[in-house]
Amino acid sequence: MMYFIKNSKAQVMLGHLEIDGFAMYKGYVANSGLPKKLFNRYEIVCSGHYHHKSSKDNIHYLGAPYEITWNDYDDPRGFHVFDTETRELEFIRNKYRLFEKIYYDDSGNVDYKKLDTSYYKNKIIKLIVEEKTNLSNFEDFVDRLYKSDLIDLTILEDLSEYSMRYAEDTQEDLEVGNTSTFLNEYVDSMPDDNVKKDERTKVKKLLQVIYDEALNIDD
C-alpha cells in the first residue's frame, strides 16, 4: 500500500485510512498511523474510518453518515457530494439524530407537563436529573417518554459520588468530560517507566474498542 500511495499518478485518493493527527471521535485524536506528509502529492484525499468529520489541508475525513454510538452525540453527521470537475466537496448534513440528552430541572421555568415528548420517538435518550422537586411530576414525565416509543432510556440522577469527591476542596474546579477522555487521561497518567509510548497508544485504542462494544451491548 505504501508503494502505491507514493507512486500513484492519481490526483485524487479515496480510502479507508488511518492517518496520524486526526480525530477518531470528537475530542479523541489518533496519535499513530500513516504520516500526513505522505499524501502531500495528492490534490485531495478523502477517507472514511474515523467517525469525526475533519479536514487538514488536502486531507478530509468524511465522518460517519449517521450516529452509531454515544461518542457520536452532538457531532455533525452526513454525507458528501464530490464534484470531479471542480474538485469541490459539499457536505450534506444528516438532520436525523439517534442520541439525545434531556437535562431535567423542575426548579426553573420549564413546564414538563407540556413538553412534547413525541420528538424523542425512535431515539436513545439519557435523562440527566439536575433538580427534582416534585416526584409525581417527574414520574409522569418519564412515563410520557416511555409512551413515545423510545428505543432506550437511561436515567442519571445520583451525582452524590461527585459531590462527596469534591466536597472537601471547594477551590478545585470540577471538569467533566466524556468517558473516552477519562480513559485516555488515565492511560496518560501511568508512569513512563511502566508503559512505553507505542504501548500506551495501543492501550488507548483497545480501551476505545471495548468501550464502543459496551455501548452497543443489548440488555
Side-chain angles (χ1 to χ4, degrees), residues 40-183:
N40 287 346
R41 61 175 303 279
Y42 292 93
E43 185 176 339
I44 184 171
V45 177
C46 296
S47 179
H49 191 28
Y50 295 164
H51 286 204
H52 180 66
K53 169 180 164 57
S54 65
S55 297
K56 291 182 182 179
D57 300 323
N58 63 326
I59 300 176
H60 305 274
Y61 268 97
L62 306 181
Y66 49 85
E67 296 178 345
I68 301 172
T69 73
W70 271 107
N71 278 328
D72 299 327
Y73 170 75
D74 199 27
D75 197 13
R77 294 289 176 259
F79 63 94
H80 294 75
V81 177
F82 178 59
D83 190 319
T84 56
E85 294 184 358
T86 65
R87 300 292 200 260
E88 292 181 351
L89 191 64
E90 180 185 4
F91 176 62
I92 310 297
R93 184 164 182 170
N94 184 349
K95 64 180 181 179
Y96 297 103
R97 296 178 56 176
L98 177 61
F99 299 94
E100 296 283 354
K101 293 181 181 179
I102 303 173
Y103 292 88
Y104 187 93
D105 182 356
D106 61 6
S107 65
N109 298 321
V110 179
D111 187 350
Y112 290 93
K113 292 182 179 180
K114 297 181 180 179
L115 190 66
D116 183 11
T117 58
S118 63
Y119 169 76
Y120 301 105
K121 181 178 180 179
N122 296 326
K123 292 179 180 288
I124 298 174
I125 308 299
K126 280 185 180 179
L127 177 59
I128 303 167
V129 183
E130 297 180 324
E131 187 72 28
K132 179 177 60 178
T133 62
N134 189 309
L135 179 59
S136 178
N137 288 346
F138 174 74
E139 291 177 343
D140 287 343
F141 178 66
V142 172
D143 186 54
R144 289 200 299 117
L145 282 174
Y146 277 118
K147 290 179 179 178
S148 299
D149 292 329
L150 310 176
I151 295 176
D152 185 59
L153 174 63
T154 300
I155 301 175
L156 305 174
E157 59 177 320
D158 185 9
L159 301 179
S160 58
E161 175 185 348
Y162 298 101
S163 300
M164 293 174 61
R165 181 178 177 183
Y166 292 95
E168 297 179 358
D169 188 358
T170 57
Q171 300 300 318
E172 183 175 357
D173 292 332
L174 172 60
E175 181 178 350
V176 179
N178 58 39
T179 303
S180 296
T181 301
F182 291 144
L183 291 174

Side-chain angles (χ1 to χ4, degrees), residues 180-195:
S180 296
T181 301
F182 291 144
L183 291 174
N184 291 334
E185 289 178 350
Y186 176 77
V187 175
D188 288 334
S189 68
M190 300 176 69
D192 292 338
D193 55 349
N194 291 339
V195 183

